Amino acid sequence: MSTEQTTLAGGFSYTLTRTLQAPAVKVWRAWTTPEQYAQWAYAAVGSVEMDVRPGGAWKATMVTPDGGQFPLTGSYLEVVENRLLVVGMDVPGRPAPAAMTMELDEQDGHHTRIELRQTCDTAEERDMAEQGSTMLLDSLGVFLTDGASG
């Protein structure tokens, strides 16, 4: 795993990369199928809805480690099946969605390099988003390795 943080004129960014033990199509399905996403992404069962196409909407209710729940909504800004997903997340009080980019690069049919990138307005927002994304990647790796994603 590698992590990179940068501060740009337009905000505070992070990039996380991992190599997952699964082909890109399997990683893509885990990220874009509501039933699979709910199993590894800390979402409340039955709360995930996804219309995975440019301009399509998504929503999920996330569950925190202490049992708290908070709803998230957004849209898909860019979709290239098995390769690229740019997810817009609605942020109260912010005119434009916060975008997170997920890129997949299949290595050998059995491994996929995943890269998550996001730019935030403040260092604190970046650090919180990076922590959440790290938790997601950790959980995704376990989900794919356990074979739960069939």
Side-chain angles (χ1 to χ4, degrees), residues 13-17 28 31 75-80 83-89 97-104 113-120 129 133 136-137:
S13 299
Y14 71 88
T15 301
L16 299 173
T17 57
W28 181 265
W31 207 280
S75 60
Y76 296 99
L77 306 176
E78 270 186 81
V79 178
V80 179
R83 294 278 306 151
L84 174 71
L85 195 62
V86 181
V87 180
M89 295 169 278
M100 182 181 71
T101 300
M102 185 225 12
E103 281 192 77
L104 301 177
R113 182 180 177 273
I114 186 171
E115 181 176 288
L116 295 182
R117 293 189 310 276
Q118 188 172 0
T119 299
C120 302
S133 292
L136 284 176
L137 287 177

PDB file of all heavy atoms in Angstrom, residues 13-17 28 31 75-80 83-89 97-104 113-120 129 133 136-137:
ATOM      1  N   SER A  13      -5.069  17.200  -1.151  1.00  0.00           N
ATOM      2  CA  SER A  13      -5.347  15.939  -1.840  1.00  0.00           C
ATOM      3  C   SER A  13      -4.673  14.761  -1.168  1.00  0.00           C
ATOM      4  O   SER A  13      -3.673  14.920  -0.475  1.00  0.00           O
ATOM      5  CB  SER A  13      -4.838  16.005  -3.282  1.00  0.00           C
ATOM      6  OG  SER A  13      -5.490  17.023  -3.990  1.00  0.00           O
ATOM      7  N   TYR A  14      -5.240  13.575  -1.420  1.00  0.00           N
ATOM      8  CA  TYR A  14      -4.577  12.340  -1.045  1.00  0.00           C
ATOM      9  C   TYR A  14      -4.756  11.345  -2.182  1.00  0.00           C
ATOM     10  O   TYR A  14      -5.691  11.435  -2.979  1.00  0.00           O
ATOM     11  CB  TYR A  14      -5.101  11.775   0.278  1.00  0.00           C
ATOM     12  CG  TYR A  14      -6.495  11.206   0.197  1.00  0.00           C
ATOM     13  CD1 TYR A  14      -6.709   9.872  -0.162  1.00  0.00           C
ATOM     14  CD2 TYR A  14      -7.602  11.990   0.477  1.00  0.00           C
ATOM     15  CE1 TYR A  14      -7.983   9.354  -0.240  1.00  0.00           C
ATOM     16  CE2 TYR A  14      -8.876  11.481   0.400  1.00  0.00           C
ATOM     17  CZ  TYR A  14      -9.064  10.165   0.034  1.00  0.00           C
ATOM     18  OH  TYR A  14     -10.329   9.651  -0.058  1.00  0.00           O
ATOM     19  N   THR A  15      -3.832  10.403  -2.248  1.00  0.00           N
ATOM     20  CA  THR A  15      -3.897   9.294  -3.190  1.00  0.00           C
ATOM     21  C   THR A  15      -3.524   8.029  -2.432  1.00  0.00           C
ATOM     22  O   THR A  15      -2.499   8.001  -1.757  1.00  0.00           O
ATOM     23  CB  THR A  15      -2.908   9.502  -4.367  1.00  0.00           C
ATOM     24  OG1 THR A  15      -3.237  10.712  -5.034  1.00  0.00           O
ATOM     25  CG2 THR A  15      -2.969   8.341  -5.343  1.00  0.00           C
ATOM     26  N   LEU A  16      -4.366   7.012  -2.516  1.00  0.00           N
ATOM     27  CA  LEU A  16      -4.096   5.718  -1.897  1.00  0.00           C
ATOM     28  C   LEU A  16      -4.024   4.676  -3.004  1.00  0.00           C
ATOM     29  O   LEU A  16      -4.880   4.662  -3.890  1.00  0.00           O
ATOM     30  CB  LEU A  16      -5.215   5.316  -0.934  1.00  0.00           C
ATOM     31  CG  LEU A  16      -5.487   6.229   0.253  1.00  0.00           C
ATOM     32  CD1 LEU A  16      -6.736   5.761   0.996  1.00  0.00           C
ATOM     33  CD2 LEU A  16      -4.297   6.242   1.196  1.00  0.00           C
ATOM     34  N   THR A  17      -3.037   3.796  -2.963  1.00  0.00           N
ATOM     35  CA  THR A  17      -2.955   2.710  -3.938  1.00  0.00           C
ATOM     36  C   THR A  17      -2.755   1.387  -3.212  1.00  0.00           C
ATOM     37  O   THR A  17      -2.077   1.330  -2.176  1.00  0.00           O
ATOM     38  CB  THR A  17      -1.808   2.909  -4.949  1.00  0.00           C
ATOM     39  OG1 THR A  17      -0.581   3.047  -4.234  1.00  0.00           O
ATOM     40  CG2 THR A  17      -2.029   4.129  -5.806  1.00  0.00           C
ATOM     41  N   TRP A  28     -14.653  -4.293  -9.543  1.00  0.00           N
ATOM     42  CA  TRP A  28     -15.697  -3.395 -10.061  1.00  0.00           C
ATOM     43  C   TRP A  28     -17.067  -3.797  -9.509  1.00  0.00           C
ATOM     44  O   TRP A  28     -17.820  -2.951  -9.034  1.00  0.00           O
ATOM     45  CB  TRP A  28     -15.689  -3.426 -11.585  1.00  0.00           C
ATOM     46  CG  TRP A  28     -16.713  -2.521 -12.206  1.00  0.00           C
ATOM     47  CD1 TRP A  28     -17.966  -2.874 -12.626  1.00  0.00           C
ATOM     48  CD2 TRP A  28     -16.584  -1.127 -12.464  1.00  0.00           C
ATOM     49  NE1 TRP A  28     -18.618  -1.778 -13.135  1.00  0.00           N
ATOM     50  CE2 TRP A  28     -17.792  -0.694 -13.042  1.00  0.00           C
ATOM     51  CE3 TRP A  28     -15.553  -0.202 -12.260  1.00  0.00           C
ATOM     52  CZ2 TRP A  28     -18.007   0.625 -13.431  1.00  0.00           C
ATOM     53  CZ3 TRP A  28     -15.767   1.113 -12.647  1.00  0.00           C
ATOM     54  CH2 TRP A  28     -16.983   1.517 -13.210  1.00  0.00           C
ATOM     55  N   TRP A  31     -17.655  -2.841  -5.976  1.00  0.00           N
ATOM     56  CA  TRP A  31     -17.816  -1.402  -5.778  1.00  0.00           C
ATOM     57  C   TRP A  31     -19.123  -0.880  -6.360  1.00  0.00           C
ATOM     58  O   TRP A  31     -19.588   0.189  -5.975  1.00  0.00           O
ATOM     59  CB  TRP A  31     -16.636  -0.664  -6.416  1.00  0.00           C
ATOM     60  CG  TRP A  31     -16.355   0.647  -5.770  1.00  0.00           C
ATOM     61  CD1 TRP A  31     -17.021   1.821  -5.978  1.00  0.00           C
ATOM     62  CD2 TRP A  31     -15.351   0.955  -4.818  1.00  0.00           C
ATOM     63  NE1 TRP A  31     -16.500   2.827  -5.214  1.00  0.00           N
ATOM     64  CE2 TRP A  31     -15.452   2.312  -4.489  1.00  0.00           C
ATOM     65  CE3 TRP A  31     -14.349   0.193  -4.211  1.00  0.00           C
ATOM     66  CZ2 TRP A  31     -14.616   2.937  -3.590  1.00  0.00           C
ATOM     67  CZ3 TRP A  31     -13.506   0.828  -3.308  1.00  0.00           C
ATOM     68  CH2 TRP A  31     -13.647   2.175  -3.007  1.00  0.00           C
ATOM     69  N   SER A  75     -23.766  11.305  -6.889  1.00  0.00           N
ATOM     70  CA  SER A  75     -23.985  10.895  -8.272  1.00  0.00           C
ATOM     71  C   SER A  75     -22.677  10.371  -8.851  1.00  0.00           C
ATOM     72  O   SER A  75     -21.606  10.569  -8.279  1.00  0.00           O
ATOM     73  CB  SER A  75     -24.496  12.077  -9.100  1.00  0.00           C
ATOM     74  OG  SER A  75     -23.544  13.125  -9.073  1.00  0.00           O
ATOM     75  N   TYR A  76     -22.802   9.727  -9.987  1.00  0.00           N
ATOM     76  CA  TYR A  76     -21.625   9.233 -10.701  1.00  0.00           C
ATOM     77  C   TYR A  76     -21.264  10.265 -11.765  1.00  0.00           C
ATOM     78  O   TYR A  76     -22.079  10.613 -12.613  1.00  0.00           O
ATOM     79  CB  TYR A  76     -21.906   7.862 -11.322  1.00  0.00           C
ATOM     80  CG  TYR A  76     -22.165   6.817 -10.273  1.00  0.00           C
ATOM     81  CD1 TYR A  76     -23.452   6.440  -9.934  1.00  0.00           C
ATOM     82  CD2 TYR A  76     -21.106   6.242  -9.584  1.00  0.00           C
ATOM     83  CE1 TYR A  76     -23.682   5.494  -8.942  1.00  0.00           C
ATOM     84  CE2 TYR A  76     -21.331   5.302  -8.600  1.00  0.00           C
ATOM     85  CZ  TYR A  76     -22.621   4.934  -8.281  1.00  0.00           C
ATOM     86  OH  TYR A  76     -22.834   4.008  -7.294  1.00  0.00           O
ATOM     87  N   LEU A  77     -20.041  10.780 -11.697  1.00  0.00           N
ATOM     88  CA  LEU A  77     -19.601  11.821 -12.618  1.00  0.00           C
ATOM     89  C   LEU A  77     -18.962  11.235 -13.871  1.00  0.00           C
ATOM     90  O   LEU A  77     -19.129  11.774 -14.961  1.00  0.00           O
ATOM     91  CB  LEU A  77     -18.622  12.754 -11.900  1.00  0.00           C
ATOM     92  CG  LEU A  77     -19.144  13.358 -10.585  1.00  0.00           C
ATOM     93  CD1 LEU A  77     -18.078  14.180  -9.905  1.00  0.00           C
ATOM     94  CD2 LEU A  77     -20.401  14.182 -10.826  1.00  0.00           C
ATOM     95  N   GLU A  78     -18.216  10.131 -13.706  1.00  0.00           N
ATOM     96  CA  GLU A  78     -17.594   9.432 -14.827  1.00  0.00           C
ATOM     97  C   GLU A  78     -17.644   7.946 -14.550  1.00  0.00           C
ATOM     98  O   GLU A  78     -17.401   7.515 -13.421  1.00  0.00           O
ATOM     99  CB  GLU A  78     -16.113   9.821 -14.983  1.00  0.00           C
ATOM    100  CG  GLU A  78     -15.829  10.996 -15.865  1.00  0.00           C
ATOM    101  CD  GLU A  78     -14.324  11.174 -16.044  1.00  0.00           C
ATOM    102  OE1 GLU A  78     -13.727  10.465 -16.885  1.00  0.00           O
ATOM    103  OE2 GLU A  78     -13.762  12.008 -15.317  1.00  0.00           O
ATOM    104  N   VAL A  79     -17.934   7.159 -15.589  1.00  0.00           N
ATOM    105  CA  VAL A  79     -18.006   5.711 -15.442  1.00  0.00           C
ATOM    106  C   VAL A  79     -17.381   5.060 -16.679  1.00  0.00           C
ATOM    107  O   VAL A  79     -17.835   5.289 -17.795  1.00  0.00           O
ATOM    108  CB  VAL A  79     -19.469   5.223 -15.301  1.00  0.00           C
ATOM    109  CG1 VAL A  79     -19.525   3.701 -15.204  1.00  0.00           C
ATOM    110  CG2 VAL A  79     -20.151   5.865 -14.101  1.00  0.00           C
ATOM    111  N   VAL A  80     -16.308   4.305 -16.460  1.00  0.00           N
ATOM    112  CA  VAL A  80     -15.720   3.473 -17.506  1.00  0.00           C
ATOM    113  C   VAL A  80     -15.626   2.084 -16.894  1.00  0.00           C
ATOM    114  O   VAL A  80     -14.769   1.827 -16.040  1.00  0.00           O
ATOM    115  CB  VAL A  80     -14.329   3.980 -17.953  1.00  0.00           C
ATOM    116  CG1 VAL A  80     -13.758   3.063 -19.034  1.00  0.00           C
ATOM    117  CG2 VAL A  80     -14.396   5.423 -18.428  1.00  0.00           C
ATOM    118  N   ARG A  83     -12.716   0.042 -15.074  1.00  0.00           N
ATOM    119  CA  ARG A  83     -11.511   0.878 -15.158  1.00  0.00           C
ATOM    120  C   ARG A  83     -11.568   2.129 -14.279  1.00  0.00           C
ATOM    121  O   ARG A  83     -10.606   2.430 -13.583  1.00  0.00           O
ATOM    122  CB  ARG A  83     -11.276   1.344 -16.602  1.00  0.00           C
ATOM    123  CG  ARG A  83     -10.945   0.263 -17.581  1.00  0.00           C
ATOM    124  CD  ARG A  83      -9.521  -0.153 -17.580  1.00  0.00           C
ATOM    125  NE  ARG A  83      -8.632   0.986 -17.762  1.00  0.00           N
ATOM    126  CZ  ARG A  83      -7.403   1.039 -17.283  1.00  0.00           C
ATOM    127  NH1 ARG A  83      -6.907   0.039 -16.612  1.00  0.00           N
ATOM    128  NH2 ARG A  83      -6.643   2.084 -17.477  1.00  0.00           N
ATOM    129  N   LEU A  84     -12.676   2.896 -14.360  1.00  0.00           N
ATOM    130  CA  LEU A  84     -12.712   4.228 -13.738  1.00  0.00           C
ATOM    131  C   LEU A  84     -14.100   4.530 -13.205  1.00  0.00           C
ATOM    132  O   LEU A  84     -15.103   4.322 -13.896  1.00  0.00           O
ATOM    133  CB  LEU A  84     -12.332   5.293 -14.782  1.00  0.00           C
ATOM    134  CG  LEU A  84     -12.450   6.756 -14.353  1.00  0.00           C
ATOM    135  CD1 LEU A  84     -11.372   7.111 -13.340  1.00  0.00           C
ATOM    136  CD2 LEU A  84     -12.374   7.668 -15.565  1.00  0.00           C
ATOM    137  N   LEU A  85     -14.139   5.054 -11.982  1.00  0.00           N
ATOM    138  CA  LEU A  85     -15.379   5.499 -11.367  1.00  0.00           C
ATOM    139  C   LEU A  85     -15.081   6.807 -10.640  1.00  0.00           C
ATOM    140  O   LEU A  85     -14.235   6.834  -9.746  1.00  0.00           O
ATOM    141  CB  LEU A  85     -15.880   4.435 -10.383  1.00  0.00           C
ATOM    142  CG  LEU A  85     -17.309   4.527  -9.899  1.00  0.00           C
ATOM    143  CD1 LEU A  85     -18.295   4.381 -11.053  1.00  0.00           C
ATOM    144  CD2 LEU A  85     -17.582   3.440  -8.861  1.00  0.00           C
ATOM    145  N   VAL A  86     -15.733   7.880 -11.067  1.00  0.00           N
ATOM    146  CA  VAL A  86     -15.617   9.151 -10.362  1.00  0.00           C
ATOM    147  C   VAL A  86     -16.959   9.378  -9.683  1.00  0.00           C
ATOM    148  O   VAL A  86     -17.998   9.515 -10.342  1.00  0.00           O
ATOM    149  CB  VAL A  86     -15.264  10.317 -11.306  1.00  0.00           C
ATOM    150  CG1 VAL A  86     -15.138  11.616 -10.503  1.00  0.00           C
ATOM    151  CG2 VAL A  86     -13.973  10.023 -12.068  1.00  0.00           C
ATOM    152  N   VAL A  87     -16.918   9.372  -8.357  1.00  0.00           N
ATOM    153  CA  VAL A  87     -18.116   9.437  -7.532  1.00  0.00           C
ATOM    154  C   VAL A  87     -18.221  10.832  -6.928  1.00  0.00           C
ATOM    155  O   VAL A  87     -17.285  11.306  -6.276  1.00  0.00           O
ATOM    156  CB  VAL A  87     -18.049   8.383  -6.403  1.00  0.00           C
ATOM    157  CG1 VAL A  87     -19.285   8.436  -5.528  1.00  0.00           C
ATOM    158  CG2 VAL A  87     -17.859   6.995  -6.979  1.00  0.00           C
ATOM    159  N   GLY A  88     -19.358  11.470  -7.138  1.00  0.00           N
ATOM    160  CA  GLY A  88     -19.636  12.758  -6.502  1.00  0.00           C
ATOM    161  C   GLY A  88     -20.400  12.523  -5.215  1.00  0.00           C
ATOM    162  O   GLY A  88     -21.354  11.742  -5.191  1.00  0.00           O
ATOM    163  N   MET A  89     -19.959  13.166  -4.137  1.00  0.00           N
ATOM    164  CA  MET A  89     -20.625  13.031  -2.848  1.00  0.00           C
ATOM    165  C   MET A  89     -21.208  14.384  -2.462  1.00  0.00           C
ATOM    166  O   MET A  89     -20.486  15.387  -2.446  1.00  0.00           O
ATOM    167  CB  MET A  89     -19.634  12.563  -1.782  1.00  0.00           C
ATOM    168  CG  MET A  89     -19.110  11.168  -2.056  1.00  0.00           C
ATOM    169  SD  MET A  89     -17.710  10.702  -1.020  1.00  0.00           S
ATOM    170  CE  MET A  89     -16.375  11.472  -1.922  1.00  0.00           C
ATOM    171  N   PRO A  97     -20.517  18.800  -5.739  1.00  0.00           N
ATOM    172  CA  PRO A  97     -20.198  17.592  -4.980  1.00  0.00           C
ATOM    173  C   PRO A  97     -18.687  17.427  -4.787  1.00  0.00           C
ATOM    174  O   PRO A  97     -17.900  17.898  -5.607  1.00  0.00           O
ATOM    175  CB  PRO A  97     -20.765  16.463  -5.841  1.00  0.00           C
ATOM    176  CG  PRO A  97     -20.891  17.024  -7.210  1.00  0.00           C
ATOM    177  CD  PRO A  97     -21.067  18.501  -7.060  1.00  0.00           C
ATOM    178  N   ALA A  98     -18.320  16.769  -3.703  1.00  0.00           N
ATOM    179  CA  ALA A  98     -16.925  16.379  -3.488  1.00  0.00           C
ATOM    180  C   ALA A  98     -16.704  15.132  -4.337  1.00  0.00           C
ATOM    181  O   ALA A  98     -17.494  14.193  -4.271  1.00  0.00           O
ATOM    182  CB  ALA A  98     -16.685  16.085  -2.016  1.00  0.00           C
ATOM    183  N   ALA A  99     -15.655  15.119  -5.138  1.00  0.00           N
ATOM    184  CA  ALA A  99     -15.418  13.992  -6.046  1.00  0.00           C
ATOM    185  C   ALA A  99     -14.301  13.096  -5.533  1.00  0.00           C
ATOM    186  O   ALA A  99     -13.274  13.579  -5.065  1.00  0.00           O
ATOM    187  CB  ALA A  99     -15.077  14.512  -7.436  1.00  0.00           C
ATOM    188  N   MET A 100     -14.540  11.793  -5.621  1.00  0.00           N
ATOM    189  CA  MET A 100     -13.510  10.801  -5.333  1.00  0.00           C
ATOM    190  C   MET A 100     -13.347   9.954  -6.590  1.00  0.00           C
ATOM    191  O   MET A 100     -14.324   9.494  -7.165  1.00  0.00           O
ATOM    192  CB  MET A 100     -13.876   9.910  -4.162  1.00  0.00           C
ATOM    193  CG  MET A 100     -12.769   8.901  -3.849  1.00  0.00           C
ATOM    194  SD  MET A 100     -13.145   7.786  -2.486  1.00  0.00           S
ATOM    195  CE  MET A 100     -14.398   6.772  -3.222  1.00  0.00           C
ATOM    196  N   THR A 101     -12.096   9.760  -6.993  1.00  0.00           N
ATOM    197  CA  THR A 101     -11.798   8.980  -8.188  1.00  0.00           C
ATOM    198  C   THR A 101     -11.248   7.623  -7.792  1.00  0.00           C
ATOM    199  O   THR A 101     -10.351   7.534  -6.956  1.00  0.00           O
ATOM    200  CB  THR A 101     -10.769   9.721  -9.070  1.00  0.00           C
ATOM    201  OG1 THR A 101     -11.326  10.985  -9.446  1.00  0.00           O
ATOM    202  CG2 THR A 101     -10.422   8.930 -10.310  1.00  0.00           C
ATOM    203  N   MET A 102     -11.814   6.565  -8.396  1.00  0.00           N
ATOM    204  CA  MET A 102     -11.328   5.215  -8.211  1.00  0.00           C
ATOM    205  C   MET A 102     -10.896   4.701  -9.579  1.00  0.00           C
ATOM    206  O   MET A 102     -11.687   4.678 -10.507  1.00  0.00           O
ATOM    207  CB  MET A 102     -12.415   4.296  -7.651  1.00  0.00           C
ATOM    208  CG  MET A 102     -11.871   2.929  -7.351  1.00  0.00           C
ATOM    209  SD  MET A 102     -12.758   1.431  -7.826  1.00  0.00           S
ATOM    210  CE  MET A 102     -14.036   1.769  -8.900  1.00  0.00           C
ATOM    211  N   GLU A 103      -9.622   4.322  -9.694  1.00  0.00           N
ATOM    212  CA  GLU A 103      -9.111   3.757 -10.947  1.00  0.00           C
ATOM    213  C   GLU A 103      -8.638   2.341 -10.702  1.00  0.00           C
ATOM    214  O   GLU A 103      -8.002   2.053  -9.689  1.00  0.00           O
ATOM    215  CB  GLU A 103      -7.943   4.584 -11.483  1.00  0.00           C
ATOM    216  CG  GLU A 103      -8.369   5.838 -12.192  1.00  0.00           C
ATOM    217  CD  GLU A 103      -7.225   6.473 -12.956  1.00  0.00           C
ATOM    218  OE1 GLU A 103      -6.884   5.970 -14.046  1.00  0.00           O
ATOM    219  OE2 GLU A 103      -6.676   7.460 -12.433  1.00  0.00           O
ATOM    220  N   LEU A 104      -8.944   1.469 -11.660  1.00  0.00           N
ATOM    221  CA  LEU A 104      -8.516   0.074 -11.594  1.00  0.00           C
ATOM    222  C   LEU A 104      -7.577  -0.227 -12.747  1.00  0.00           C
ATOM    223  O   LEU A 104      -7.812   0.209 -13.877  1.00  0.00           O
ATOM    224  CB  LEU A 104      -9.730  -0.862 -11.692  1.00  0.00           C
ATOM    225  CG  LEU A 104     -10.810  -0.697 -10.630  1.00  0.00           C
ATOM    226  CD1 LEU A 104     -11.969  -1.643 -10.916  1.00  0.00           C
ATOM    227  CD2 LEU A 104     -10.249  -0.927  -9.238  1.00  0.00           C
ATOM    228  N   ARG A 113      -4.552  -3.320  -9.435  1.00  0.00           N
ATOM    229  CA  ARG A 113      -4.082  -2.134  -8.708  1.00  0.00           C
ATOM    230  C   ARG A 113      -5.253  -1.166  -8.641  1.00  0.00           C
ATOM    231  O   ARG A 113      -5.866  -0.853  -9.658  1.00  0.00           O
ATOM    232  CB  ARG A 113      -2.910  -1.497  -9.448  1.00  0.00           C
ATOM    233  CG  ARG A 113      -2.335  -0.282  -8.747  1.00  0.00           C
ATOM    234  CD  ARG A 113      -1.170   0.281  -9.576  1.00  0.00           C
ATOM    235  NE  ARG A 113      -0.635   1.485  -9.001  1.00  0.00           N
ATOM    236  CZ  ARG A 113      -1.106   2.700  -9.246  1.00  0.00           C
ATOM    237  NH1 ARG A 113      -2.126   2.875 -10.055  1.00  0.00           N
ATOM    238  NH2 ARG A 113      -0.548   3.756  -8.679  1.00  0.00           N
ATOM    239  N   ILE A 114      -5.590  -0.735  -7.431  1.00  0.00           N
ATOM    240  CA  ILE A 114      -6.659   0.237  -7.243  1.00  0.00           C
ATOM    241  C   ILE A 114      -6.039   1.518  -6.719  1.00  0.00           C
ATOM    242  O   ILE A 114      -5.118   1.483  -5.889  1.00  0.00           O
ATOM    243  CB  ILE A 114      -7.757  -0.291  -6.283  1.00  0.00           C
ATOM    244  CG1 ILE A 114      -8.940   0.687  -6.215  1.00  0.00           C
ATOM    245  CG2 ILE A 114      -7.194  -0.601  -4.909  1.00  0.00           C
ATOM    246  CD1 ILE A 114     -10.141   0.129  -5.460  1.00  0.00           C
ATOM    247  N   GLU A 115      -6.500   2.632  -7.241  1.00  0.00           N
ATOM    248  CA  GLU A 115      -6.024   3.936  -6.787  1.00  0.00           C
ATOM    249  C   GLU A 115      -7.239   4.791  -6.463  1.00  0.00           C
ATOM    250  O   GLU A 115      -8.150   4.910  -7.285  1.00  0.00           O
ATOM    251  CB  GLU A 115      -5.185   4.613  -7.870  1.00  0.00           C
ATOM    252  CG  GLU A 115      -4.650   5.970  -7.449  1.00  0.00           C
ATOM    253  CD  GLU A 115      -3.739   6.575  -8.505  1.00  0.00           C
ATOM    254  OE1 GLU A 115      -2.616   6.067  -8.669  1.00  0.00           O
ATOM    255  OE2 GLU A 115      -4.176   7.543  -9.157  1.00  0.00           O
ATOM    256  N   LEU A 116      -7.262   5.351  -5.256  1.00  0.00           N
ATOM    257  CA  LEU A 116      -8.302   6.288  -4.840  1.00  0.00           C
ATOM    258  C   LEU A 116      -7.667   7.654  -4.693  1.00  0.00           C
ATOM    259  O   LEU A 116      -6.604   7.787  -4.076  1.00  0.00           O
ATOM    260  CB  LEU A 116      -8.914   5.884  -3.499  1.00  0.00           C
ATOM    261  CG  LEU A 116      -9.694   4.584  -3.429  1.00  0.00           C
ATOM    262  CD1 LEU A 116     -10.264   4.397  -2.019  1.00  0.00           C
ATOM    263  CD2 LEU A 116     -10.810   4.554  -4.447  1.00  0.00           C
ATOM    264  N   ARG A 117      -8.329   8.673  -5.264  1.00  0.00           N
ATOM    265  CA  ARG A 117      -7.837  10.047  -5.170  1.00  0.00           C
ATOM    266  C   ARG A 117      -8.987  10.973  -4.800  1.00  0.00           C
ATOM    267  O   ARG A 117     -10.107  10.794  -5.277  1.00  0.00           O
ATOM    268  CB  ARG A 117      -7.275  10.522  -6.508  1.00  0.00           C
ATOM    269  CG  ARG A 117      -6.040   9.838  -6.963  1.00  0.00           C
ATOM    270  CD  ARG A 117      -5.439  10.519  -8.196  1.00  0.00           C
ATOM    271  NE  ARG A 117      -6.368  10.762  -9.275  1.00  0.00           N
ATOM    272  CZ  ARG A 117      -6.705   9.864 -10.219  1.00  0.00           C
ATOM    273  NH1 ARG A 117      -6.193   8.656 -10.187  1.00  0.00           N
ATOM    274  NH2 ARG A 117      -7.539  10.179 -11.183  1.00  0.00           N
ATOM    275  N   GLN A 118      -8.658  11.965  -3.976  1.00  0.00           N
ATOM    276  CA  GLN A 118      -9.663  12.954  -3.617  1.00  0.00           C
ATOM    277  C   GLN A 118      -8.972  14.251  -3.233  1.00  0.00           C
ATOM    278  O   GLN A 118      -7.890  14.241  -2.642  1.00  0.00           O
ATOM    279  CB  GLN A 118     -10.520  12.438  -2.453  1.00  0.00           C
ATOM    280  CG  GLN A 118     -11.705  13.307  -2.141  1.00  0.00           C
ATOM    281  CD  GLN A 118     -12.631  12.671  -1.119  1.00  0.00           C
ATOM    282  OE1 GLN A 118     -12.389  11.568  -0.630  1.00  0.00           O
ATOM    283  NE2 GLN A 118     -13.701  13.360  -0.792  1.00  0.00           N
ATOM    284  N   THR A 119      -9.604  15.362  -3.581  1.00  0.00           N
ATOM    285  CA  THR A 119      -9.134  16.679  -3.171  1.00  0.00           C
ATOM    286  C   THR A 119     -10.192  17.296  -2.280  1.00  0.00           C
ATOM    287  O   THR A 119     -11.377  17.294  -2.623  1.00  0.00           O
ATOM    288  CB  THR A 119      -8.868  17.589  -4.388  1.00  0.00           C
ATOM    289  OG1 THR A 119      -7.855  16.974  -5.191  1.00  0.00           O
ATOM    290  CG2 THR A 119      -8.390  18.969  -3.955  1.00  0.00           C
ATOM    291  N   CYS A 120      -9.773  17.806  -1.137  1.00  0.00           N
ATOM    292  CA  CYS A 120     -10.680  18.387  -0.149  1.00  0.00           C
ATOM    293  C   CYS A 120     -10.327  19.858   0.063  1.00  0.00           C
ATOM    294  O   CYS A 120      -9.252  20.317  -0.327  1.00  0.00           O
ATOM    295  CB  CYS A 120     -10.568  17.623   1.167  1.00  0.00           C
ATOM    296  SG  CYS A 120     -10.934  15.859   0.991  1.00  0.00           S
ATOM    297  N   ALA A 129     -11.223  12.121   5.190  1.00  0.00           N
ATOM    298  CA  ALA A 129     -11.568  11.372   3.978  1.00  0.00           C
ATOM    299  C   ALA A 129     -10.549  10.265   3.733  1.00  0.00           C
ATOM    300  O   ALA A 129     -10.907   9.139   3.377  1.00  0.00           O
ATOM    301  CB  ALA A 129     -11.650  12.315   2.778  1.00  0.00           C
ATOM    302  N   SER A 133     -11.261   6.327   3.511  1.00  0.00           N
ATOM    303  CA  SER A 133     -10.885   5.567   2.312  1.00  0.00           C
ATOM    304  C   SER A 133      -9.938   4.418   2.651  1.00  0.00           C
ATOM    305  O   SER A 133     -10.027   3.337   2.059  1.00  0.00           O
ATOM    306  CB  SER A 133     -10.237   6.495   1.278  1.00  0.00           C
ATOM    307  OG  SER A 133     -11.194   7.401   0.776  1.00  0.00           O
ATOM    308  N   LEU A 136     -12.039   1.693   3.962  1.00  0.00           N
ATOM    309  CA  LEU A 136     -12.743   1.037   2.855  1.00  0.00           C
ATOM    310  C   LEU A 136     -11.833   0.070   2.114  1.00  0.00           C
ATOM    311  O   LEU A 136     -12.226  -1.062   1.821  1.00  0.00           O
ATOM    312  CB  LEU A 136     -13.296   2.078   1.876  1.00  0.00           C
ATOM    313  CG  LEU A 136     -14.542   2.838   2.305  1.00  0.00           C
ATOM    314  CD1 LEU A 136     -14.903   3.888   1.256  1.00  0.00           C
ATOM    315  CD2 LEU A 136     -15.717   1.900   2.542  1.00  0.00           C
ATOM    316  N   LEU A 137     -10.621   0.514   1.797  1.00  0.00           N
ATOM    317  CA  LEU A 137      -9.693  -0.360   1.071  1.00  0.00           C
ATOM    318  C   LEU A 137      -9.312  -1.581   1.898  1.00  0.00           C
ATOM    319  O   LEU A 137      -9.195  -2.689   1.367  1.00  0.00           O
ATOM    320  CB  LEU A 137      -8.452   0.407   0.633  1.00  0.00           C
ATOM    321  CG  LEU A 137      -8.652   1.390  -0.516  1.00  0.00           C
ATOM    322  CD1 LEU A 137      -7.365   2.133  -0.815  1.00  0.00           C
ATOM    323  CD2 LEU A 137      -9.175   0.693  -1.751  1.00  0.00           C
TER     324      LEU A 137
END
